[in-house]
Amino acid sequence: MEEINTFFRENNELILGYMLQLVAAIVIFYIGRIVARGLSRLLERGLLARSVDKAVVAFLVSIVYAIVLIATVLMALSQIGVQTTSFIAILGAAGLAIGLALQGSLANFASGILIILFRPFKAGDFIDAGSVSGTVEKIEIFQTQMKTPDNKRVIVPNAQITGGPITNYSSEPLRRVDLVIGISYDSDLLLAKKLLEEILQNDERVLADPAFSIKVGALADSSVNLNVRPWVKSADYWDVYWDTLEKVKLTFDEKGIGIPFPQMDVHLIKDQADSKE
């Protein structure tokens, strides 16, 4: 017992210094945990306010909390004299190795986060992205599920979607139907325009505002091309497109408006020997 007392008397300052360092490390760890929780809650509220998926929010919050907590532990260990340089080097090397091994997956993950945060499209939208056209069924962290018009399910990596242009056909409530109707040069141009106007006016799906337009677009090699551009609701686009083409063909046939089509004239030349015979 006397030896222990002697040891404490002789090393009083050293022990006191270690105790202060230990207390400081505990305080740093405690404050770091509070900061980590505060940042996590702040991030969670911000993401939920932007209507980000709850699963994604929980994942991101856990990552932020883990990063701050690791930094806090390293600071606490450094305070009590532990050399953290080797730990940081090991963590950096491990992170680099994991990053190289999962390069494609990390790119898809980052792209998924961007899609969820900036919301260029949502489930139910018809889009053209990643060389695929279809209706978005589900947006996931690494991939997006789409259904094509012919009822095929296509799973597209998120990096492929964000790596190119994204065309969202459902984002706007109205769309313009662009049709090019060709008539022959000997057809009555004014009558053709009048018939087209009647077809569009009699279609309840064609909007009055914005108004449709019918203009001569080009004097082509074998036809006079009319640009017919009605405005419709996005949901009616394809029905109006197909129905209008059918009505134009039937009406023009009935009124004698010619619709030109490619033709080829074949001239037969008899051999001279055959002609002498």
Side-chain angles (χ1 to χ4, degrees):
M1 192 67 179
E2 182 66 25
E3 294 178 355
I4 296 177
N5 293 331
T6 303
F7 174 80
F8 277 105
R9 284 195 301 269
E10 293 177 352
N11 299 278
N12 184 35
E13 294 183 0
L14 181 62
I15 295 174
L16 181 61
Y18 279 126
M19 291 295 294
L20 291 176
Q21 290 178 352
L22 181 60
V23 171
I26 294 174
V27 171
I28 290 174
F29 180 74
Y30 180 75
I31 295 176
R33 287 186 60 187
I34 295 176
V35 172
R37 290 175 180 174
L39 287 176
S40 300
R41 291 172 182 171
L42 184 63
L43 178 63
E44 182 178 10
R45 292 174 183 172
L47 294 177
L48 290 177
R50 296 183 63 111
S51 300
V52 179
D53 188 84
K54 291 184 179 180
V56 178
V57 173
F59 184 75
L60 291 177
V61 168
S62 63
I63 290 178
V64 171
Y65 181 81
I67 292 174
V68 177
L69 196 60
I70 290 174
T72 301
V73 171
L74 292 176
M75 292 175 61
L77 291 176
S78 177
Q79 182 64 32
I80 60 177
V82 177
Q83 296 296 325
T84 58
T85 306
S86 57
F87 287 100
I88 296 175
I90 293 173
L91 289 174
L96 179 61
I98 294 173
L100 291 175
L102 302 176
Q103 185 175 5
S105 298
L106 291 177
N108 290 326
F109 170 78
S111 299
I113 296 300
L114 292 177
I115 291 173
I116 293 172
L117 289 178
F118 295 103
R119 303 180 70 84
F121 54 84
K122 62 182 184 301
D125 287 351
F126 187 87
I127 67 171
D128 184 359
S131 302
V132 178
S133 296
T135 302
V136 178
E137 285 195 320
K138 187 184 297 184
I139 304 172
E140 298 178 339
I141 289 296
F142 296 100
Q143 60 201 15
T144 297
Q145 293 186 20
M146 299 167 59
K147 182 175 288 187
T148 62
D150 56 347
N151 204 34
K152 292 186 296 187
R153 178 174 295 174
V154 182
I155 299 176
V156 187
N158 288 331
Q160 184 174 329
I161 292 178
T162 58
I166 301 174
T167 304
N168 190 336
Y169 296 100
S170 303
S171 61
E172 299 297 331
L174 306 181
R175 287 187 64 188
R176 190 183 70 187
V177 181
D178 290 346
L179 298 172
V180 179
I181 306 298
I183 63 173
S184 59
Y185 273 92
D186 56 359
S187 296
D188 189 334
L189 175 60
L190 296 180
L191 177 59
K193 293 182 68 176
K194 181 181 178 181
L195 294 174
L196 290 172
E197 289 177 0
E198 292 177 352
I199 291 173
L200 297 180
Q201 289 172 351
N202 293 330
D203 193 334
E204 296 180 352
R205 297 167 298 183
V206 176
L207 303 175
D209 185 22
F212 63 79
S213 66
I214 302 174
K215 304 292 183 181
V216 176
L219 301 177
D221 293 338
S222 59
S223 64
V224 178
N225 293 337
L226 300 175
N227 290 336
V228 182
R229 296 177 175 177
W231 286 86
V232 299
K233 295 181 180 179
S234 296
D236 296 331
Y237 179 88
W238 285 112
D239 290 336
V240 172
Y241 183 94
W242 293 318
D243 292 346
T244 302
L245 287 179
E246 181 178 347
K247 292 175 183 177
V248 168
K249 177 63 171 66
L250 295 175
T251 303
F252 279 14
D253 288 348
E254 181 183 350
K255 300 298 181 179
I257 303 296
I259 300 177
F261 53 89
Q263 302 182 53
M264 179 181 295
D265 293 333
V266 180
H267 300 274
L268 300 177
I269 302 176
K270 292 185 178 182
D271 187 84
Q272 292 182 358
D274 295 338
S275 63
K276 290 179 181 180
E277 294 179 357

